[in-house]
Amino acid sequence: MNPDDIGFLGVRDLTALYRSRKLSPVEVVKAILARIERIEPRVNAMMRLTPEIALAAAKRSETAFMQREKTRLLEGIPFTIKDLQHTKGVQTDFASAVTQGTIPDVDAPCVSRLYAAGGMMLGKTTSAADWGWKGVSEAPISGITHNPWGHGLNAGASSSGAGVGAACGYGPLHQGGDGAGSIRMPAHFSGVYGFKPTHGRVASWPMSNNELATHIGPLTRSVEDAALMTEAMAGPHPWDYTSLEAPPQHYAGQLKAASMRGKRIAYSPDLGHARVDPEIAEAVAKAIKVFTDMGAIIEEVSPPWGKLGPELIRFFWPAVFAARAEYLPQYANRMDPGFVAMLRENAHVTTAQFMQMRTRRFEYVQQIHDFMEGYDFLLTPAVSVAAFPANRLQPAHWPQHDWDWLMWAEFSYPFNWSGSPAASVPCGFTPAGLPVGLQIVGRRFDDLGVLQASAAFEEARPWAHLRPPLAQ
């Protein structure tokens, strides 16, 4: 086998090769680390590598397979962790000069569970600037993470390195976090699969100030790999009091157990308000026909709650980061300029205003859940635009603003607030050859349903075989 192909193998393929002794976990780690070192100068997806950790885990897994011991769910499977997630003894910068050089003394629950499932951590992936505040793959402390389909273009954020790593064959499993679209946006821009489980399905720690809207989930090249990674990370944890009590389901084993025939699916091209570039709208509209061909009942909708979102997100997104304003006197010149502008513009918000808007947001979320009771799934574009230069907050042909990148990401944050499971599925390319994602949203708790719908689309329109130019 060509060593460069090893990083593109999925969990099932790697496990089969281990069992047949045609490949070992140690060989896999060495091959992928070598690939990362070769590809990294083009994409800049890794903050740092952890070869010692990966090789030590690989040797343990290799022994298990050689001695034919009972193996764990992800035995010998490589994974990466986002730079916003705590990793014991491994530098975690949180994408900010303020916290650069932090070395946590504990693993976050999702990390410890990936280890417990037999996984091997290859390293930490890049994130967007200053605690992942924006949807653009750039940070002052790490520079641009380049879209694998076009150097210098936005790869999405804040889980930018995770999406690029998945696209470039840095192994099968990449952990992401999603507070307003930060799994689904990188998936859209890099042409991979991103799954945001129901809020609480995977414990999130330290618990974010993001109004219980931050979700932990996978970015992968296939739905099956995402299902396996979710299963490994999921389950209740005492550090996150919002984590769901239910144990994880065997998601991967049930992906093909449901048909799309007869499913009632809502399709909203704009949620009743969002601007969408024509090339994105066209690719998504073609993807909708795939579900029609599978026998689903599609209803185009303009949900009445959609137009209420923009005012709410432009109030709450700055509020999420308001406490960081204490660092402005010392660090403003080392922070992202847009982040600084956002903090300064919104410094006047009062507690009374916050609580009034919070009441409105709760009402908004109830409307989303009431709407979803009438459908099995909701389909939308994942993002309104294709990849644009990563040194900008908005595409040149869109309205310009000092900090508002949310204008092209209106489809994701509603389902962070609602806690709903949602995925971005690769559904095509623009005429310029840039990926487009279709968002699949499910009812709260129906993680399996979203994974099954994603798998059905993947079977009809496979994408995992595609390799971007910068990954060659």
Side-chain angles (χ1 to χ4, degrees):
M1 176 179 292
N2 184 338
D4 252 0
D5 292 335
I6 290 174
F8 290 96
L9 294 174
V11 174
R12 182 190 296 271
D13 292 330
L14 285 171
T15 301
L17 289 166
Y18 294 157
R19 293 194 187 286
S20 65
R21 301 189 183 185
K22 294 179 180 178
L23 198 61
S24 80
V26 172
E27 291 172 324
V28 167
V29 166
K30 290 180 177 179
I32 297 177
L33 289 174
R35 176 172 178 79
I36 290 173
E37 290 184 6
R38 182 172 73 81
I39 301 296
E40 265 303 276
R42 306 177 201 167
V43 297
N44 187 35
M46 301 298 298
M47 282 299 291
R48 58 193 45 84
L49 297 175
T50 54
E52 299 86 358
I53 292 174
L55 285 168
K59 290 174 183 176
R60 291 192 293 270
S61 292
E62 184 174 75
T63 298
F65 281 107
M66 291 296 291
Q67 296 182 356
R68 302 191 185 280
E69 298 175 1
K70 182 178 181 180
T71 55
R72 297 164 290 182
L73 182 67
L74 300 179
E75 194 74 66
I77 304 300
F79 66 87
T80 67
I81 296 294
K82 182 178 176 178
D83 187 48
L84 298 189
Q85 208 67 48
H86 284 59
T87 44
K88 184 178 181 179
V90 178
Q91 183 172 328
T92 304
D93 297 319
F94 305 99
S96 178
V98 177
T99 45
Q100 191 170 15
T102 302
I103 300 180
D105 59 3
V106 66
D107 285 320
C110 66
V111 179
S112 60
R113 284 183 170 162
L114 289 170
Y115 282 142
M120 313 179 297
M121 186 174 75
L122 297 171
K124 304 296 292 286
T125 53
T126 55
S127 179
D130 296 306
W131 303 282
W133 86 274
K134 64 180 180 179
V136 180
S137 57
E138 184 275 339
I141 70 167
S142 58
I144 289 173
T145 294
H146 300 274
N147 190 301
W149 299 89
H151 193 270
L153 299 182
N154 181 21
S158 60
S159 309
S160 46
V164 174
C168 288
Y170 289 8
L173 307 179
H174 304 271
Q175 176 265 327
D178 192 316
S182 294
I183 288 173
R184 290 157 290 161
M185 290 187 295
H188 159 89
F189 284 116
S190 287
V192 298
Y193 182 67
F195 177 56
K196 179 188 76 67
T198 294
H199 186 267
R201 183 70 66 200
V202 178
S204 179
W205 180 91
M207 294 187 68
S208 170
N209 282 333
N210 188 19
E211 283 293 286
L212 304 183
T214 296
H215 304 57
I216 304 296
L219 287 110
T220 60
R221 295 180 63 82
S222 74
V223 178
E224 181 180 52
D225 284 350
L228 288 165
M229 190 176 190
T230 301
E231 182 176 341
M233 295 189 293
H237 196 285
W239 293 357
D240 178 357
Y241 70 84
T242 69
S243 60
L244 302 179
E245 185 178 3
Q249 296 187 50
H250 181 36
Y251 299 116
Q254 302 180 72
L255 290 179
K256 297 184 178 181
S259 167
M260 293 298 105
R261 183 166 301 280
K263 296 289 187 184
R264 190 175 181 205
I265 298 178
Y267 161 51
S268 184
D270 60 5
L271 289 184
H273 71 91
R275 171 176 172 170
V276 181
D277 280 353
E279 57 192 1
I280 303 296
E282 181 179 357
V284 171
K286 289 179 179 178
I288 301 303
K289 295 178 181 177
V290 173
F291 284 92
T292 302
D293 292 343
M294 289 190 287
I297 302 166
I298 306 293
E299 180 183 347
E300 186 167 331
V301 299
S302 182
W305 46 265
K307 61 186 178 182
L308 305 177
E311 181 184 4
L312 290 169
I313 190 63
R314 283 156 184 81
F315 178 89
F316 280 103
W317 195 243
V320 166
F321 297 97
R324 309 294 186 182
E326 66 176 299
Y327 300 119
L328 290 178
Q330 182 177 355
Y331 290 97
N333 63 345
R334 297 173 63 193
M335 288 179 166
D336 186 86
F339 185 65
V340 173
M342 180 180 72
L343 292 180
R344 287 176 171 163
E345 182 179 321
N346 292 275
H348 63 280
V349 173
T350 67
T351 303
Q353 288 174 313
F354 182 87
M355 296 308 292
Q356 289 165 358
M357 291 294 282
R358 201 166 190 239
T359 298
R360 287 175 55 184
R361 185 171 59 83
F362 289 150
E363 293 169 350
Y364 170 79
V365 166
Q366 181 177 338
Q367 290 182 55
I368 293 175
H369 288 303
D370 289 346
F371 171 85
M372 290 300 299
E373 284 300 307
Y375 302 95
D376 294 292
F377 306 107
L378 167 65
L379 306 180
T380 76
V383 180
S384 290
V385 298
F388 56 89
N391 59 358
R392 311 183 61 98
L393 275 179
Q394 306 89 7
H397 64 286
W398 276 60
Q400 302 302 295
H401 192 277
D402 287 344
W403 62 265
D404 185 6
W405 58 269
L406 295 151
M407 61 180 74
W408 48 261
E410 300 280 7
F411 294 101
S412 49
Y413 63 80
F415 311 109
N416 291 84
W417 286 337
S418 69
S420 309
S424 178
V425 181
C427 72
F429 291 85
T430 69
L434 297 172
V436 178
L438 168 71
Q439 179 172 233
I440 303 174
V441 182
R443 297 172 184 164
R444 190 155 186 247
F445 309 120
D446 191 20
D447 301 75
L448 178 59
V450 172
L451 289 166
Q452 288 174 331
S454 302
F457 186 88
E458 179 183 35
E459 185 173 5
R461 293 266 296 270
W463 63 75
H465 61 288
L466 302 173
R467 299 189 184 183
L470 299 190
Q472 303 301 320

